[in-house]
Amino acid sequence: QKITINEWVKYEREIQTLSAEVESLKNPQNLNASARLEELREENNKLKYRLNILKRGLQEEKTNCSHAMLNINQRLQEVFGEAIRAACPELDNPPLVVAPNQQAKFGDYQCNSAMAMAQMLKAKGMKINPREIAEKIIQNLPDNELVQKTEIAGPGFINIHLKRQFVSKLLSNLLVNGVKPPPLASKKKVVVDFSSPNIAKEMHVGHLRSTIIGESMCRLFEFLGYDVLRLNHVGDWGTQFGMLIAHLQDKFPNYLTVSPPISDLQAFYKESKKRFDEEEDFKKRAYQCVVRLQSKEPDFIKGWNLICDVSRQEFQKIYDCLDITIIERGESYYQDMMTKVVKEFEDKGFVQLDEGRKIVFVPGHSVPLTVVKSDGGYTYDTSDLAALHNRLFDEKADIIIYVTDSGQAMHFQLLYAAGQMIGWYNPQVTRVEHAGFGVVLGEDKKKFKTRSGDTVRLMDLLEEGLKRAMDKLKEKERDKVLTPEELTKAQRSVAFGCIKYADLSHNRINDYVFSFDKMLDDRGNTAAYLLYAFTRIRSIARLANIDEATLKKAAETTEVLLDHDKEWKLGKCILRFPEILQKVLDDLLLHTLCDYLYELATTFTEFYDSCYCIEKDRQTGEVVKVNMWRMLLCDATALIMAKCFDILGINPVDRM
């Protein structure tokens, strides 16, 4: 029987009224109304029954209508959350723990709340066996579209078996509609601050991590439907520009009319630094140049712009290789905002004087922020406070992520504490987070350096990657089957994909060892293995002469059967994608996505080895039978793998 939304609302109100009436009837003064009470109870039960039917109908409608992928774990949490609250109404915020089952023989998911609930009840003086609580949870499970059966195991674990029909429908939805993320409750603005090299200095291997991790985080937020602003907080202001401009004036006196041919900015920087350290007159002139630059004198702004442009061109070469999209907003962008920020801290009484400096102490920290130096100049602390203010008030960000090395963790703790102290944001409402990462180590487990002890230039590293990727492809004799154009595409895909994946597949918090040999190995959890696996999966349909239109039609008409254990295992693995994304969104640890991608590839291999997708004539090798539902499982695997690669910033190629 169909119930309209209006009727549902009416019944909800009726139930509330009746419940209030039932409560009042518990009063001893109302005992003479026991017949009416029985009548009300019966009516209440009928309404609850109808309400459950309505809720189930609405949920099924939601599942069927939605083009987006469903987060199965989240849906199970809704179902079990309702059951847990009904089983133990006396507990405030009872624990809700639902996770995929590690052993398939025990079911698909597991609810582990009963043991913790027993502890909470014990603290209230009620001793109840966790198995009894698990029993009560199961009895209170609302009607739903996804749970086939439940079993209690051990001290009170609830093993959950999913309905195969339900999983099959979700796979069909994925194949027909593509990989669509679960809908967002509201579209939020995200600012990600990453890469951030210094002008006039080469990008080195330390910038590699921030650039790769930040890009991938942006791609994740964008895929999930957030409004993302990618910011490059380059070091483009400060005293070093005084010495660079002074050196520019000496070396290229006509720089205002003829563009100076600075090809090696690193050498130019070293020359000016040497003069700054050794020549007193030059040092004085450098300081005068800083003052004139900060006063925005046109000739000095032009010199500054020239130097910045040479750096930008070098940075862009790296961003083009790694397919990075980013907007430059260096420290100079925030110069005019700093005075206002310092004044706000002064007006609110947070500024103290310390030997001519203006400092700000924040609660729980013994080290202050320095907002004005003794010479009246501003500091990194000031520009970072101005940037935070700009992102909160002008950009109206709901989420701000800073991707820098873990060595800066203390600085960001101070920064965020100051922002909260002055009332700029409430951490319960706005998420401001430092996504720190460890250092890159050489194979000797020491900081990654060249043989001469210099920092490794990022461009040199990328070129070495290209060379080694080509060697690897030739070793596999791919140059004999691919066209020159395909070979170059494969080379770039492998080289840059392997460098990115080697970084992202490690927990970012830890240091990681940079090794070309390991990252180019096509066995184990590497981009090389995954790119080859993906190319193989994509080729299955091609070899069976099945085009995309045929697959698309089959997705709409063919049921995805999941009778074989390996089909069932693969189907569930494919559908875990939304819950993996949710986990990465919560902790910003991208290695979880890499682990999932590797698990999906190995689960697919198990399936492909056990289940024939196409059957061939042994004599002629001709395809005699196509098991279309299995071809659809291949297609669904490829769709999810492609989206994982996209989020990780890796570009697979059709032929490799």
Side-chain angles (χ1 to χ4, degrees), residues 71 74 180-192 216-230 395-401 429-431 433 578 581-588 647:
N71 183 330
Q74 223 164 43
K180 301 270 166 57
L184 279 179
S186 62
K187 189 163 186 168
K188 291 184 173 177
K189 174 84 176 265
V190 183
V191 172
V192 184
S216 188
M217 282 180 187
C218 292
R219 286 167 177 254
L220 172 68
F221 280 114
E222 283 161 351
F223 172 63
L224 293 172
Y226 291 83
D227 176 16
V228 181
L229 177 62
R230 303 142 159 267
E395 294 302 341
K396 298 182 170 48
D398 301 289
I399 300 170
I400 307 174
I401 311 292
V429 179
T430 308
R431 178 180 181 183
E433 198 170 322
L581 294 187
Q582 186 57 52
K583 188 177 183 317
V584 179
L585 192 64
D586 293 342
D587 60 21
L588 301 177
I647 292 169

Side-chain angles (χ1 to χ4, degrees), residues 362 365 369 384-385 388 400-404 408-422 424-425 427 432-435:
V362 293
H365 295 274
L369 289 163
D384 277 348
L385 282 167
L388 178 62
I400 307 174
I401 311 292
Y402 291 77
V403 187
T404 76
Q408 297 184 52
M410 175 61 86
H411 168 68
F412 285 112
Q413 280 172 25
L414 283 169
L415 185 70
Y416 305 158
Q420 288 165 43
M421 176 179 80
I422 201 166
W424 286 353
Y425 76 98
V432 181
E433 198 170 322
H434 175 223

Side-chain angles (χ1 to χ4, degrees), residues 3 23 82 96 185 191 289 313 423 458 548 569 624 627:
I3 302 174
E23 283 304 311
E82 201 176 314
L96 176 58
V191 172
C289 287
Q313 286 161 20
L458 203 37
E548 266 187 48
K569 185 179 178 182
V624 290
N627 294 321

Side-chain angles (χ1 to χ4, degrees), residues 247 250 271-286:
H247 190 51
D250 292 347
E271 287 166 18
S272 63
K273 181 81 173 79
K274 188 172 188 296
R275 292 185 68 191
F276 184 83
D277 292 340
E278 293 171 5
E279 301 172 27
E280 202 53 43
D281 284 353
F282 180 80
K283 193 175 199 169
K284 277 182 191 162
R285 209 152 53 79

Side-chain angles (χ1 to χ4, degrees), residues 38-170:
E38 275 311 307
E39 201 182 305
L40 284 169
R41 276 191 179 140
E42 199 174 320
E43 185 64 23
N44 200 3
N45 285 337
K46 282 180 189 171
L47 284 169
K48 276 186 176 168
Y49 174 71
R50 290 187 71 189
L51 186 64
N52 272 338
I53 289 175
L54 173 67
K55 279 182 179 170
R56 187 177 63 195
L58 279 175
Q59 186 54 50
E60 280 177 4
E61 203 66 28
K62 211 160 101 184
T63 305
N64 293 340
C65 291
S66 172
H67 288 177
M69 287 187 80
L70 178 82
N71 183 330
I72 295 175
N73 195 324
Q74 223 164 43
R75 179 69 190 116
L76 284 170
Q77 287 186 33
E78 287 168 17
V79 170
F80 276 81
E82 201 176 314
I84 284 166
R85 287 188 294 277
C88 287
E90 61 272 39
L91 287 181
D92 295 328
N93 289 326
L96 176 58
V97 189
V98 177
N101 221 324
Q102 296 308 309
Q103 290 181 284
K105 61 181 177 182
F106 296 130
D108 307 311
Y109 284 80
Q110 197 172 64
C111 174
N112 302 338
S113 299
M115 287 73 76
M117 287 166 72
Q119 290 297 320
M120 286 173 82
L121 289 166
K122 193 177 174 186
K124 284 178 173 272
M126 291 178 266
K127 201 170 177 200
I128 305 178
N129 186 315
R131 283 185 73 96
E132 271 179 61
I133 296 170
E135 197 68 63
K136 263 178 112 174
I137 293 170
I138 289 171
Q139 284 163 9
N140 281 284
L141 279 175
D143 284 344
N144 63 82
E145 75 289 7
L146 75 167
V147 178
Q148 178 70 43
K149 63 170 183 173
T150 52
E151 298 151 345
I152 299 171
F157 301 118
I158 302 173
N159 289 327
I160 305 161
H161 297 261
L162 297 175
K163 289 179 179 171
R164 299 211 170 206
Q165 190 69 30
F166 168 76
V167 171
S168 174
K169 267 187 191 166
L170 290 184

Side-chain angles (χ1 to χ4, degrees), residues 341-353 357-361 371-372:
V341 164
V342 172
K343 188 175 182 314
E344 188 178 340
F345 274 90
E346 284 177 326
D347 291 349
K348 292 189 176 170
F350 292 124
V351 173
Q352 297 178 25
L353 280 171
R357 296 184 308 151
K358 289 183 180 178
I359 60 171
V360 173
F361 278 100
V371 292
V372 181

